[in-house]
Amino acid sequence: MMLRLIALAIVAFLATACSALDTGQFEVTPAAAGRQLVRLSVPWPNSVDGDTVLQVDANSSSANQWPAQLPASKQNRNVRIRCLRDGSETLASARVISWRSSESPTRHTPRRVMLTFEQLFHDLSPVVFQLVSVESVHEGSQTDDNNWPVGAEMQGQDVVIVFASGARMKCRLEAPALTAAAAGTEEIVEMNPHFLWKHIYYPDAQWPRWLEVRIDRSGTVVLVAHVQRVAQEDGFAPDFGWTVEGSWDDQWSIDHPLAKLHRRGKVEVTDGITKLHRYQRCAGADRVPMQAYAWQRVELVIAPTDSPKLPASLSSPHRFQFASEDLAALYPHWQAPQISSQPFAKIIEYHRRAIVASSVVGDDFGNVTSFNHGLPHGGNFGMNRLNHNAAIFEQAWRTGEPQLMEVALQWCDNFYDQSIWWGQPNFGGTRYNNVVAQQKTPLTKEFMWRSNDSVHFCTKGYDSFWLAWEETGDPRMLAALNAQVAYAAGNIHCDQGECRNVGDVRDFVRLYRMTGEQRYLDEALRLFRELRSKLSTEKLFDQGGKSLDPHPPFIDDDARGLTVGYAKPYIIGYALAGLPELLAVAPDEPQLKETIRAVADFLAETVDPAGGWRYPHPRSSLTLSNFGPEHAWHLCQACRALGSEPKWLDAIETVLRARILAWKKTGTILSTVEGWEISTGRVKDRLELQDLYVHPEDRPFERDWDEGRVSHGSAPPEGIVYFEEILDFYLQHRAADRLLTNPSSQQSLARILERL
């Protein structure tokens, strides 16, 4: 029975991924039957009539900045949509989230538009809708409409929910008192006949905060309190939660969607004429980590009892999918699936589930750290860099799988709260992931205590905040993007000790291609031009910018490697993260094309038969097979820019064969191959191993394939999130049977697989 359910799940999963929609269409699979509120951010196609009605306000300073692009009174628009199942039409409230670039400062057309509407679903099957046109502007707002089942009033910091029946519910935030009385400053995020979203800000010297109030026409109320700890040292969260008191009836329920994922706190309920519901997110005695300038948030959802539960992102509970053509028009880097997933359906499903299983629960909920076969969640520790999250968003678009979108959005939320340094100096950069490496003692061992400062080479992947902004319309995501971009523009360089920072070209060039803002392209070009000053005559580079040693010593750890100039696969791959995309918009930039080709050739020449690259040197003793898909994706980038060189496809094939054949044999993935000297007892550790050889060519590395210890079952995010894309790319160029044919007994991969 279990196998049959798994098989059905795989078929359903892949069927969703392969569904075909025409431009201007979107598909909704409801979470429940009946009349449902639907809320989603649609890619806006140029073909839909009415772009001039949705044009940006002439008084707006920028097309893609927060505060909102338009005054609240002008945000209320109607978009006519048609249900293709029965031909019925309805009006959806529309909020423009982002705009296409335009030569005119006042005539932008939409990129993503948040639609909110009500729809009667007769069952749980998918329903396709077609965008028809933009109707005349509707100037009404939620406050003019007496038909809403709930409303909200502010009484100081308390939120009073008022039901149509006359019942009232007072919601009080339990948090440290403000050090000085201050009136809240209200800001409207969105207001229309279907949805109201406002923020109330409370400044404070120690515990600044803001409250989010979201109410929709179905009667769902979402309250979220965000509290920051302003301090110079790390510590723990105070008592934190919500107390609800009132006289509501059983038609209404209270939920805390993140509670089971935080794995902290408790709920106490007292029934009677006056009800009491107390949710304690955490108590001071719980010692929930809260670093200097970090944030904690606590949510409260009030909804009709028969409503579908909201997910942890607090977004719509329904499943959505869009036309590939519409997504590709907005995201030039995104690759829609081109080939059938057969005969790789099961391993594709394995990798999708592995992405979900890489996400953390507990005090660091939402962080994405690592995949470990058999464990439902990621471990506490990871690299703390967001540059692989864009691939999760892309996977969610490719598949329509809500769980993948949840992982991507939760990682951005976690990064905002825990990983961006919101203090001074160097406001807005990313914290380092391990205070132990900075010779500091963490307050506890179970939490990944970050540094209380910004680290330039950790600050990457901030283009994900743009993707999260376009998906949710949440101003926090745009605030995070702007903070990280400002930090990167002032502090990230490729000619001051870390050439790997060329990886940020990807963030800047994608932001340029998505927004059209010239400042992003200028930053991308700046980084490459800085790197260009450090290139060798072969167009390669050392991590620290040193000249390449023509005859380096044997290197088996980073300490020695940092003293020598050499091309390090892990570092040099960053060049292919963004330079191929930069070439698409700057084809005449000197040495750009040559650098892409040189780095791709280097990666192709140094790939190991175990499906990965050795670390740190191409001839070191440790092979990281679980990192292989990231560099294979880099090679796909090079192929898209310069054409698919056979040797580059060969390297991609090497990675895929090792991953697929190891999975076929063990049900999991190949992780590492260790040096034979350690597994045979020749030496005790890699430091001792380093003294055995003078130069890389002195070590018989081939013995690793026969005698080195082989591990399997774990991978960092970069070893998981790119798999489906590189497989799809490869199968557009070569036959599937090349990946499935078992190697001959004498081939190096066969020797590795034999001992799994």
Side-chain angles (χ1 to χ4, degrees):
M1 180 64 177
M2 181 59 70
L3 289 175
R4 180 175 179 271
L5 289 174
I6 292 173
L8 289 173
I10 291 171
V11 170
F13 202 87
L14 293 167
T16 300
C18 297
S19 62
L21 296 169
D22 293 331
T23 184
Q25 295 181 353
F26 60 91
E27 183 181 86
V28 180
T29 304
R35 193 158 196 84
Q36 302 292 328
L37 188 97
V38 179
R39 180 171 167 80
L40 75 164
S41 174
V42 298
W44 192 263
N46 277 324
S47 60
V48 175
D49 179 39
D51 286 347
T52 55
V53 180
L54 290 178
Q55 114 186 18
V56 69
D57 186 4
N59 297 319
S60 178
S61 60
S62 174
N64 291 311
Q65 294 293 314
W66 178 261
Q69 301 90 346
L70 297 170
S73 63
K74 296 185 180 180
Q75 286 188 23
N76 305 314
R77 301 169 171 81
N78 290 330
V79 169
R80 183 168 296 278
I81 58 176
R82 180 180 299 122
C83 174
L84 298 189
R85 173 176 289 182
D86 59 16
S88 62
E89 294 188 355
T90 189
L91 291 180
S93 297
R95 169 191 169 202
V96 179
I97 301 297
S98 59
W99 305 85
R100 285 183 168 89
S101 60
S102 170
E103 294 182 1
S104 168
T106 62
R107 292 186 62 81
H108 294 258
T109 54
R111 279 178 51 87
R112 297 291 293 262
V113 177
M114 184 68 72
L115 299 182
T116 311
F117 61 96
E118 291 182 291
Q119 178 69 27
L120 177 62
F121 293 96
H122 297 287
D123 52 40
L124 301 183
S125 58
V127 177
V128 176
F129 296 87
Q130 177 77 49
L131 297 171
V132 178
S133 64
V134 178
E135 304 292 311
S136 59
V137 175
H138 179 87
E139 295 293 347
S141 73
Q142 182 262 342
T143 54
D144 323 353
D145 193 331
N146 295 321
N147 295 324
W148 284 50
V150 294
E153 301 172 354
M154 297 301 302
Q155 293 184 0
Q157 291 187 62
D158 297 342
V159 184
V160 178
I161 307 303
V162 182
F163 298 94
S165 65
R168 300 171 71 87
M169 174 190 290
K170 178 178 283 191
C171 306
R172 172 168 295 167
L173 175 67
E174 303 294 340
L178 297 173
T179 54
T185 301
E186 183 175 298
E187 184 173 66
I188 299 296
V189 179
E190 183 175 346
M191 183 168 62
N192 58 54
H194 288 95
F195 198 79
L196 172 65
W197 186 355
K198 65 173 67 175
H199 285 176
I200 304 96
Y201 294 86
Y202 298 90
D204 193 68
Q206 296 181 14
W207 300 100
R209 68 201 60 180
W210 82 76
L211 299 181
E212 287 187 67
V213 181
R214 310 183 203 178
I215 306 176
D216 68 46
R217 194 181 180 91
S218 74
T220 297
V221 179
V222 176
L223 305 180
V224 187
H226 304 259
V227 176
Q228 186 182 36
R229 180 174 178 270
V230 176
Q232 299 306 310
E233 300 295 333
D234 291 335
F236 299 96
D239 292 358
F240 198 32
W242 286 101
T243 296
V244 183
E245 188 174 9
S247 57
W248 64 95
D249 60 38
D250 292 341
Q251 296 179 31
W252 300 92
S253 64
I254 298 177
D255 189 27
H256 310 282
L258 287 97
K260 63 183 179 182
L261 300 165
H262 285 305
R263 297 188 169 181
R264 294 279 196 172
K266 60 182 178 180
V267 173
E268 299 174 357
V269 177
T270 302
D271 210 349
I273 297 176
T274 299
K275 297 182 179 183
L276 182 69
H277 176 106
R278 183 168 184 253
Y279 168 50
Q280 188 175 58
R281 157 71 178 87
C282 63
D286 293 338
R287 290 172 60 86
V288 171
M290 193 170 185
Q291 295 196 248
Y293 292 94
W295 292 85
Q296 291 283 359
R297 53 199 162 98
V298 59
E299 82 291 351
L300 172 67
V301 177
I302 302 155
T305 305
D306 58 357
S307 295
K309 299 293 186 183
L310 296 186
S313 65
L314 304 178
S315 56
S316 178
H318 312 302
R319 176 197 288 262
F320 306 117
Q321 192 155 22
F322 308 107
S324 294
E325 179 182 346
D326 292 341
L327 286 167
L330 300 187
Y331 305 100
H333 54 274
W334 182 66
Q335 302 295 318
Q338 300 295 317
I339 46 85
S340 170
S341 59
Q342 298 296 341
F344 302 102
K346 291 183 179 180
I347 192 171
I348 288 173
E349 168 71 5
Y350 182 88
H351 280 79
R352 293 177 186 174
R353 298 276 64 84
I355 293 172
V356 176
S358 298
S359 188
V360 176
V361 297
D363 292 335
D364 212 356
F365 163 68
N367 197 12
V368 176
T369 55
S370 62
F371 166 68
N372 292 280
H373 181 80
L375 298 182
H377 305 291
N380 291 331
F381 297 92
M383 292 298 286
N384 200 47
R385 288 146 211 190
L386 199 58
N387 53 316
H388 308 299
N389 197 27
I392 303 179
F393 279 101
E394 292 161 14
Q395 274 288 82
W397 298 335
R398 186 177 287 115
T399 64
E401 173 54 45
Q403 277 191 295
L404 294 174
M405 183 57 72
E406 282 289 299
V407 171
L409 293 175
Q410 290 161 15
W411 198 358
C412 286
D413 274 336
N414 173 274
F415 224 81
Y416 182 103
D417 290 343
Q418 307 288 355
S419 290
I420 295 179
W421 171 241
W422 296 111
Q424 295 292 347
N426 295 323
F427 175 91
T430 298
R431 304 175 191 238
Y432 189 60
N433 66 305
N434 187 353
V435 296
V436 175
Q438 297 183 328
Q439 289 74 54
K440 297 178 181 178
T441 303
L443 297 184
T444 60
K445 295 181 179 179
E446 297 78 22
F447 180 78
M448 190 176 77
W449 295 89
R450 287 83 154 162
S451 65
N452 289 324
D453 59 6
S454 293
V455 179
H456 54 85
F457 64 82
C458 295
T459 307
K460 51 176 63 78
Y462 33 90
D463 62 321
S464 289
F465 289 118
W466 173 262
L467 303 181
W469 159 248
E470 290 202 304
E471 286 289 336
T472 66
D474 186 342
R476 293 167 65 247
M477 298 297 98
L478 203 53
L481 171 69
N482 291 335
Q484 296 237 284
V485 164
Y487 171 84
N491 297 277
I492 292 180
H493 299 278
C494 294
D495 56 357
Q496 298 180 17
E498 273 294 352
C499 290
R500 77 170 98 178
N501 286 341
V502 71
D504 281 45
V505 167
R506 192 208 68 171
D507 295 81
F508 283 125
V509 76
R510 288 188 174 188
L511 288 169
Y512 169 71
R513 297 177 82 185
M514 290 186 288
T515 69
E517 294 191 34
Q518 181 66 34
R519 61 189 177 115
Y520 295 132
L521 179 57
D522 292 343
E523 293 296 336
L525 289 168
R526 172 184 65 82
L527 288 174
F528 174 66
R529 289 164 182 169
E530 290 177 354
L531 178 72
R532 194 164 60 203
S533 69
K534 298 296 181 180
L535 294 175
S536 69
T537 55
E538 295 83 14
K539 301 297 182 286
L540 302 178
F541 56 92
D542 167 68
Q543 177 174 344
K546 298 181 290 296
S547 297
L548 300 188
D549 189 331
H551 198 203
F554 176 69
I555 299 169
D556 214 48
D557 75 340
D558 278 328
R560 174 176 288 184
L562 291 175
T563 68
V564 180
Y566 74 104
K568 181 178 182 179
Y570 173 75
I571 294 297
I572 209 165
Y574 279 113
L576 297 186
L579 294 187
E581 293 182 34
L582 180 61
L583 184 65
V585 293
D588 298 324
E589 181 66 20
Q591 300 184 45
L592 178 54
K593 185 180 296 184
E594 294 83 355
T595 302
I596 295 168
R597 183 174 299 281
V599 174
D601 285 346
F602 173 81
L603 288 179
E605 291 160 4
T606 55
V607 67
D608 192 87
W613 278 259
R614 291 173 180 257
Y615 187 90
H617 187 274
R619 282 290 173 258
S620 296
S621 67
L622 178 64
T623 304
L624 300 175
S625 301
N626 48 10
F627 280 76
E630 180 186 17
H631 285 332
W633 176 75
H634 290 151
L635 289 167
C636 291
Q637 292 280 79
C639 289
R640 291 172 181 135
L642 300 179
S644 299
E645 294 276 353
K647 58 185 173 183
W648 301 348
L649 287 173
D650 288 344
I652 297 168
E653 182 178 295
T654 298
V655 172
L656 287 171
R657 277 177 58 76
R659 175 61 57 91
I660 292 168
L661 296 178
W663 179 84
K664 284 181 64 179
K665 182 171 184 178
T666 67
T668 184
I669 59 180
L670 182 61
S671 297
T672 63
V673 179
E674 196 175 55
W676 62 269
E677 296 92 339
I678 296 175
S679 58
T680 61
R682 174 77 180 274
V683 298
K684 294 180 181 179
D685 55 43
R686 296 180 69 192
L687 289 177
E688 187 178 343
L689 169 64
Q690 197 158 250
D691 296 330
L692 287 181
Y693 308 106
V694 178
H695 296 290
E697 59 269 24
D698 297 337
R699 180 174 182 269
F701 65 89
E702 298 91 344
R703 291 183 63 178
D704 296 341
W705 306 331
D706 296 302
E707 302 173 70
R709 181 179 293 113
V710 180
S711 68
H712 57 90
S714 65
E718 55 265 46
I720 297 293
V721 299
Y722 301 107
F723 174 78
E724 191 168 347
E725 181 181 343
I726 63 174
L727 176 62
D728 186 85
F729 178 85
Y730 175 88
L731 293 176
Q732 294 173 45
H733 296 82
R734 290 183 176 176
D737 58 6
R738 293 176 65 109
L739 301 178
L740 298 169
T741 304
N742 289 324
S744 66
S745 59
Q746 297 305 310
Q747 290 180 312
S748 49
L749 179 58
R751 291 146 63 185
I752 296 166
L753 295 176
E754 184 180 352
R755 295 180 300 111
L756 271 177

